[in-house]
Structures are given as C-alpha cells and as structure tokens.
Amino acid sequence: MIDKFLELHTLSKSEYLELLQYWENEEVVKRLRTEAVSLRKQYYGDKVFTRGLIEFTNYCKNNCYYCGIRNGNRHVDRYRLTEDEILECCQTGYELGYHTFVLQGGEDPYYHDERMEHIIRAVKNQFPDCALTLSLGEKSYESYRRFREAGADRYLLRHETADETLYRSLHPSSMSLKARKQCLFDLKELGYQVGAGFMVGAPGQTLEHLAEDLVFLQELQPQMIGIGPFVPHHDTIYAEEKAGSVELTLFLLSVIRIMFPKVLLPATTALGTMDPRGREKGLAAGANVVMPNLSPVKNRKLYELYDNKICTGEEAAECRGCLGRRVASAGYRLVEDRGDALV
C-alpha cells in the first residue's frame, strides 16, 4: 500500500487510514519524508516563500469552541486596524522583501463588503506587484466575487475537519460543515488560489477523521493546504485537552506533499509553538512556506487563537535575518517571490 501511494500519489479512504497507522514507524516516516522532499525540490527547488501576516481584527461573530477569540470569550481585549494601519503593515513588509500579504481576521461584520473592497483596492494600488490573500471566514458567493473583482488573489479557509460529527463537537449549531465546504468550492469557481486545511489532534479526532480530511482535500484540489497541531486555549472548554502531536503533523505534511506535489504548504506558527524547531522540521518534511507576523506589535498578543503563540513580540516579521537563518538551517533559502501556485 505504501508503494502504491508513492507511485500513484492517491489512495482510498480505507487505504489512507491504513497509511496513517504507520505515523510512528521510523522506516515509513523516512520513506515518505524523502519522497516529499524530492517532489518539493523538483517543483520549487530550495525556495521558501514568505507570507506577511496581518491580523487586522480579533472581533468574531462565531463561537467556535476551541478558539481563543470566539465571540463568547469576554476576556479578550478586542481591536480593529484602520485602513491606514493595514497599509503601514504592508509597507513594513514590502521594505523587508515580502511580496504576499495575508489579511486575516475573525468574522467581523464591521468589515462589510464595501469596506473590504476599499481596503483590497488600496493595498493592490499601492503594492501592484504583490499578491493579496484574504482569510476572513465564511462569506456569501457575492461577497467573494466582489473581493475577487477588487483584486484579491487568494483565500485561506481551513475546513478544520471534514467529518460531520467531529465538526459538530467543535462548532456551535449556527455553523455547518456543508456551508464551510460550499464556500471553498465557491472560491475555486471564482478563480481564487484556494487554501484549505485542518487541525491535527483536535479533541475527539481519530485517524479515521484524518483519512476523511485527506479524501476531502483530494476532492477539492486546493492550491494551498495549512495544517498544524491543535493547541488548547485557557478560555475555552478544551483548555485541559492535550495538544496535537508534532510528529503526526510532520507525517501528514509529507503525505500531503506526496498527494499534491505542487501545493503551497506552510510550516505553521502552531508547529513552531509546539516545538522550538517546529517550522524547520516542517520544511524538512515537505513544507515550502512560512508566514511571519506583520501585525502591529501592540496587537500581536491580542490575536490569541491558542495559548503560548510564538512571534508576538518585536522579533516576528522584522527579524528577517533570523528567519532566513532558520530556513537555511533546514537546507533552504527565503526568496522574495510572490510564490504563486504552480498550475
């Protein structure tokens, strides 16, 4: 079955489940990692792309049970960035050599379609050679269309889990997995470069759930896939739950690279939070993207989706030299390209 996967890069759900049983088998881990790195180098060489992350609002109308900025958490110091502040963040990133900006926030009704269109156009007008990624949650087809026409290039919307029962245990009844999936297909139809993804080790998650995630990704065929270990937050019902496994996350990064040789695959902040060398290990497992934080320093600690999040101080995006050395230690190099998905 492993030979079949390495040859065909695709399996059935039952075969994925069988494959995932080997995540602690050193020989299999090494075989998959070697193949993942080979494919990653075949298409991207030694390049690692940067995405300048701007967390521009921590207001959210949703109440996802695992999330530190959920609407029901009354202990959050809320903030919103103005358009000028967002543009200042972009300028800082541009001067540091970043050519993709990611506007990420909770589902905040304050940023209605007209306001977002204005922000998108302002960013694209000021930085026409840069890609703009949005990560604003679930919107209507019409909203996505308007953002696309205003100039947005990419959209990140992690599906979190493709299993209905597990989804229900993580989200309130006002949200639905069906709607989440529909948003992703809407974004693809509108011509965005689309990013999906899931948590590894979410409360109640099994290997069968992860196999279901892989099957869904196969159906969706996204250009970007973001996965990271679940990290608990102290103000949620899952505060005492065990964090997700770094090793299983790394195994899945290799699996995903083999499934999607051309995919843009981040070594995530959550991975770096769980392991001091987590991002380097992610790159060594097949990842090819890092996402340093460009948000104003005063706001970084306030965008707390989970506990002990790294890169909330002065050292984040400004320390490009430090990030470059980390990437180099894994055998790769930071580049200033937009880093578009290969067709």
Side-chain angles (χ1 to χ4, degrees):
M1 183 273 307
I2 292 167
D3 289 335
K4 177 182 177 180
F5 179 55
L6 292 174
E7 179 186 356
L8 301 179
H9 298 187
T10 184
L11 295 171
S12 66
K13 181 182 174 181
S14 61
E15 288 170 328
Y16 279 128
L17 180 56
E18 183 182 346
L19 176 68
L20 291 171
Q21 314 281 345
Y22 289 95
W23 73 271
E24 293 179 289
N25 182 302
E26 288 186 21
E27 182 184 342
V28 173
V29 168
K30 186 175 180 180
R31 282 188 71 189
L32 295 190
R33 185 174 62 222
T34 299
E35 178 66 10
V37 169
S38 174
L39 288 167
R40 176 235 191 283
K41 289 186 174 178
Q42 178 181 337
Y43 290 102
Y44 292 105
D46 62 353
K47 294 180 177 179
V48 172
F49 303 115
T50 53
R51 312 310 197 200
L53 183 62
I54 302 167
E55 297 161 335
F56 69 101
T57 174
N58 69 348
Y59 284 84
C60 190
K61 68 179 185 181
N62 294 327
N63 204 27
C64 303
Y65 302 143
Y66 54 86
C67 183
I69 65 167
R70 75 192 199 286
N71 185 52
N73 186 359
R74 299 295 174 234
H75 301 117
V76 180
D77 187 3
R78 304 287 178 177
Y79 73 91
R80 294 182 175 111
L81 299 189
T82 65
E83 181 177 311
D84 285 344
E85 287 175 316
I86 291 170
L87 290 170
E88 285 175 21
C89 294
C90 293
Q91 185 62 44
T92 298
Y94 193 75
E95 291 170 2
L96 288 165
Y98 300 130
H99 285 80
T100 290
F101 305 122
V102 181
L103 297 185
Q104 184 176 80
E107 292 193 23
D108 183 355
Y110 173 82
Y111 293 96
H112 51 70
D113 287 0
E114 290 80 8
R115 184 167 274 134
M116 280 311 306
E117 284 176 306
H118 201 275
I119 291 170
I120 293 164
R121 288 197 172 96
V123 171
K124 292 296 285 190
N125 286 339
Q126 193 164 326
F127 306 97
D129 56 334
C130 295
L132 180 60
T133 302
L134 302 179
S135 183
L136 314 175
E138 296 177 20
K139 303 287 183 184
S140 68
Y141 185 94
E142 176 64 11
S143 295
Y144 289 147
R145 184 190 65 77
R146 291 174 66 168
F147 300 162
R148 180 81 178 114
E149 291 182 359
D153 302 285
R154 307 170 185 157
Y155 203 102
L156 304 179
L157 182 67
R158 298 213 312 188
H159 64 278
E160 301 300 4
T161 174
D163 180 83
E164 182 66 47
T165 303
L166 183 59
Y167 186 92
R168 283 271 59 85
S169 73
L170 298 172
H171 300 89
S173 59
S174 58
M175 301 177 70
S176 83
L177 179 57
K178 181 180 179 182
R180 193 79 164 182
K181 289 181 175 179
Q182 187 59 54
C183 285
L184 285 161
F185 286 108
D186 287 349
L187 289 161
K188 284 209 76 174
E189 184 179 317
L190 286 162
Y192 285 90
Q193 293 177 42
V194 174
F198 53 89
M199 292 182 289
V200 179
Q205 185 186 66
T206 65
L207 293 181
E208 186 170 358
H209 293 138
L210 291 171
E212 186 72 26
D213 285 314
L214 297 178
V215 171
F216 172 67
L217 290 172
Q218 225 163 241
E219 178 189 1
L220 179 66
Q221 292 290 312
Q223 289 90 355
M224 305 171 283
I225 298 173
I227 69 168
F230 163 75
V231 186
H233 186 281
H234 61 278
D235 276 327
T236 70
I237 61 172
Y238 295 125
E240 301 303 319
E241 289 287 334
K242 182 182 174 184
S245 163
V246 169
E247 288 71 27
L248 180 53
T249 303
L250 295 171
F251 183 82
L252 283 159
L253 283 172
S254 294
V255 168
I256 290 168
R257 172 60 68 197
I258 295 167
M259 291 173 65
F260 306 97
K262 299 179 183 179
V263 79
L264 293 164
L265 190 60
T268 59
T269 303
L271 200 51
T273 296
M274 289 299 300
D275 184 317
R277 286 187 54 80
R279 286 173 296 180
E280 292 92 321
K281 291 178 179 179
L283 294 173
N288 65 333
V289 172
V290 289
M291 298 179 69
N293 199 331
L294 286 174
S295 307
V297 173
K298 64 183 171 63
N299 300 123
R300 288 180 192 166
K301 292 187 191 304
L302 305 179
Y303 198 85
E304 189 181 59
L305 306 184
Y306 47 80
D307 287 347
N308 304 313
K309 182 179 168 188
I310 59 169
C311 296
T312 57
E314 297 279 0
E315 81 288 352
E318 289 86 342
C319 187
R320 187 178 175 87
C322 170
L323 187 60
R325 288 190 293 276
R326 281 179 169 271
V327 168
S329 75
Y332 299 102
R333 62 186 174 95
L334 280 187
V335 296
E336 296 187 1
D337 306 17
R338 278 173 41 126
D340 288 294
L342 297 176
V343 178

PDB file of all heavy atoms in Angstrom, residues 230 232-241 307:
ATOM      1  N   PHE A 230      -3.317  20.954  17.009  1.00  0.00           N
ATOM      2  CA  PHE A 230      -4.246  21.634  17.908  1.00  0.00           C
ATOM      3  C   PHE A 230      -3.470  22.097  19.139  1.00  0.00           C
ATOM      4  O   PHE A 230      -2.688  21.347  19.720  1.00  0.00           O
ATOM      5  CB  PHE A 230      -5.365  20.673  18.340  1.00  0.00           C
ATOM      6  CG  PHE A 230      -6.134  21.133  19.551  1.00  0.00           C
ATOM      7  CD1 PHE A 230      -7.057  22.152  19.452  1.00  0.00           C
ATOM      8  CD2 PHE A 230      -5.899  20.547  20.802  1.00  0.00           C
ATOM      9  CE1 PHE A 230      -7.761  22.584  20.585  1.00  0.00           C
ATOM     10  CE2 PHE A 230      -6.606  20.961  21.923  1.00  0.00           C
ATOM     11  CZ  PHE A 230      -7.534  21.990  21.809  1.00  0.00           C
ATOM     12  N   PRO A 232      -4.401  24.010  22.805  1.00  0.00           N
ATOM     13  CA  PRO A 232      -5.532  24.484  23.609  1.00  0.00           C
ATOM     14  C   PRO A 232      -5.379  25.937  24.044  1.00  0.00           C
ATOM     15  O   PRO A 232      -4.268  26.464  24.143  1.00  0.00           O
ATOM     16  CB  PRO A 232      -5.532  23.542  24.822  1.00  0.00           C
ATOM     17  CG  PRO A 232      -4.139  23.004  24.898  1.00  0.00           C
ATOM     18  CD  PRO A 232      -3.614  22.965  23.495  1.00  0.00           C
ATOM     19  N   HIS A 233      -6.532  26.575  24.279  1.00  0.00           N
ATOM     20  CA  HIS A 233      -6.569  27.941  24.809  1.00  0.00           C
ATOM     21  C   HIS A 233      -7.254  27.901  26.173  1.00  0.00           C
ATOM     22  O   HIS A 233      -8.272  27.227  26.356  1.00  0.00           O
ATOM     23  CB  HIS A 233      -7.336  28.861  23.855  1.00  0.00           C
ATOM     24  CG  HIS A 233      -7.292  30.311  24.250  1.00  0.00           C
ATOM     25  ND1 HIS A 233      -8.095  30.821  25.248  1.00  0.00           N
ATOM     26  CD2 HIS A 233      -6.541  31.348  23.808  1.00  0.00           C
ATOM     27  CE1 HIS A 233      -7.838  32.114  25.383  1.00  0.00           C
ATOM     28  NE2 HIS A 233      -6.905  32.456  24.524  1.00  0.00           N
ATOM     29  N   HIS A 234      -6.720  28.680  27.122  1.00  0.00           N
ATOM     30  CA  HIS A 234      -7.171  28.591  28.516  1.00  0.00           C
ATOM     31  C   HIS A 234      -8.607  29.068  28.730  1.00  0.00           C
ATOM     32  O   HIS A 234      -9.228  28.706  29.723  1.00  0.00           O
ATOM     33  CB  HIS A 234      -6.229  29.379  29.423  1.00  0.00           C
ATOM     34  CG  HIS A 234      -6.161  30.844  29.104  1.00  0.00           C
ATOM     35  ND1 HIS A 234      -5.366  31.345  28.095  1.00  0.00           N
ATOM     36  CD2 HIS A 234      -6.798  31.911  29.651  1.00  0.00           C
ATOM     37  CE1 HIS A 234      -5.512  32.664  28.046  1.00  0.00           C
ATOM     38  NE2 HIS A 234      -6.379  33.022  28.974  1.00  0.00           N
ATOM     39  N   ASP A 235      -9.150  29.870  27.806  1.00  0.00           N
ATOM     40  CA  ASP A 235     -10.515  30.371  27.973  1.00  0.00           C
ATOM     41  C   ASP A 235     -11.522  29.625  27.096  1.00  0.00           C
ATOM     42  O   ASP A 235     -12.485  30.210  26.603  1.00  0.00           O
ATOM     43  CB  ASP A 235     -10.573  31.873  27.644  1.00  0.00           C
ATOM     44  CG  ASP A 235     -10.164  32.733  28.840  1.00  0.00           C
ATOM     45  OD1 ASP A 235     -10.443  32.319  29.975  1.00  0.00           O
ATOM     46  OD2 ASP A 235      -9.564  33.800  28.633  1.00  0.00           O
ATOM     47  N   THR A 236     -11.300  28.341  26.862  1.00  0.00           N
ATOM     48  CA  THR A 236     -12.236  27.530  26.084  1.00  0.00           C
ATOM     49  C   THR A 236     -12.583  26.266  26.872  1.00  0.00           C
ATOM     50  O   THR A 236     -11.912  25.923  27.858  1.00  0.00           O
ATOM     51  CB  THR A 236     -11.641  27.111  24.725  1.00  0.00           C
ATOM     52  OG1 THR A 236     -10.591  26.144  24.956  1.00  0.00           O
ATOM     53  CG2 THR A 236     -11.077  28.305  23.955  1.00  0.00           C
ATOM     54  N   ILE A 237     -13.595  25.552  26.397  1.00  0.00           N
ATOM     55  CA  ILE A 237     -13.990  24.312  27.065  1.00  0.00           C
ATOM     56  C   ILE A 237     -12.941  23.212  26.885  1.00  0.00           C
ATOM     57  O   ILE A 237     -12.979  22.196  27.573  1.00  0.00           O
ATOM     58  CB  ILE A 237     -15.354  23.806  26.566  1.00  0.00           C
ATOM     59  CG1 ILE A 237     -15.308  23.501  25.066  1.00  0.00           C
ATOM     60  CG2 ILE A 237     -16.455  24.811  26.883  1.00  0.00           C
ATOM     61  CD1 ILE A 237     -16.562  22.805  24.546  1.00  0.00           C
ATOM     62  N   TYR A 238     -12.004  23.435  25.954  1.00  0.00           N
ATOM     63  CA  TYR A 238     -10.960  22.443  25.700  1.00  0.00           C
ATOM     64  C   TYR A 238      -9.626  22.828  26.331  1.00  0.00           C
ATOM     65  O   TYR A 238      -8.567  22.343  25.927  1.00  0.00           O
ATOM     66  CB  TYR A 238     -10.789  22.243  24.194  1.00  0.00           C
ATOM     67  CG  TYR A 238     -12.007  21.634  23.526  1.00  0.00           C
ATOM     68  CD1 TYR A 238     -12.643  22.253  22.450  1.00  0.00           C
ATOM     69  CD2 TYR A 238     -12.532  20.428  23.980  1.00  0.00           C
ATOM     70  CE1 TYR A 238     -13.748  21.696  21.848  1.00  0.00           C
ATOM     71  CE2 TYR A 238     -13.644  19.852  23.393  1.00  0.00           C
ATOM     72  CZ  TYR A 238     -14.247  20.486  22.317  1.00  0.00           C
ATOM     73  OH  TYR A 238     -15.348  19.923  21.726  1.00  0.00           O
ATOM     74  N   ALA A 239      -9.684  23.697  27.347  1.00  0.00           N
ATOM     75  CA  ALA A 239      -8.458  24.203  27.973  1.00  0.00           C
ATOM     76  C   ALA A 239      -7.557  23.093  28.503  1.00  0.00           C
ATOM     77  O   ALA A 239      -6.323  23.211  28.457  1.00  0.00           O
ATOM     78  CB  ALA A 239      -8.826  25.159  29.111  1.00  0.00           C
ATOM     79  N   GLU A 240      -8.151  22.017  29.004  1.00  0.00           N
ATOM     80  CA  GLU A 240      -7.361  20.953  29.616  1.00  0.00           C
ATOM     81  C   GLU A 240      -7.047  19.808  28.657  1.00  0.00           C
ATOM     82  O   GLU A 240      -6.449  18.808  29.044  1.00  0.00           O
ATOM     83  CB  GLU A 240      -8.115  20.387  30.836  1.00  0.00           C
ATOM     84  CG  GLU A 240      -8.430  21.421  31.911  1.00  0.00           C
ATOM     85  CD  GLU A 240      -7.179  22.116  32.429  1.00  0.00           C
ATOM     86  OE1 GLU A 240      -6.161  21.426  32.625  1.00  0.00           O
ATOM     87  OE2 GLU A 240      -7.222  23.357  32.616  1.00  0.00           O
ATOM     88  N   GLU A 241      -7.447  19.958  27.405  1.00  0.00           N
ATOM     89  CA  GLU A 241      -7.192  18.900  26.427  1.00  0.00           C
ATOM     90  C   GLU A 241      -5.714  18.860  26.049  1.00  0.00           C
ATOM     91  O   GLU A 241      -5.008  19.870  26.080  1.00  0.00           O
ATOM     92  CB  GLU A 241      -8.032  19.123  25.160  1.00  0.00           C
ATOM     93  CG  GLU A 241      -9.524  18.886  25.341  1.00  0.00           C
ATOM     94  CD  GLU A 241      -9.871  17.417  25.479  1.00  0.00           C
ATOM     95  OE1 GLU A 241      -9.119  16.573  24.964  1.00  0.00           O
ATOM     96  OE2 GLU A 241     -10.915  17.124  26.086  1.00  0.00           O
ATOM     97  N   ASP A 307      -3.004  29.206  23.229  1.00  0.00           N
ATOM     98  CA  ASP A 307      -2.032  29.661  24.219  1.00  0.00           C
ATOM     99  C   ASP A 307      -0.587  29.569  23.713  1.00  0.00           C
ATOM    100  O   ASP A 307      -0.251  28.723  22.883  1.00  0.00           O
ATOM    101  CB  ASP A 307      -2.156  28.822  25.497  1.00  0.00           C
ATOM    102  CG  ASP A 307      -3.406  29.169  26.300  1.00  0.00           C
ATOM    103  OD1 ASP A 307      -4.026  30.208  26.011  1.00  0.00           O
ATOM    104  OD2 ASP A 307      -3.764  28.392  27.206  1.00  0.00           O
TER     105      ASP A 307
END
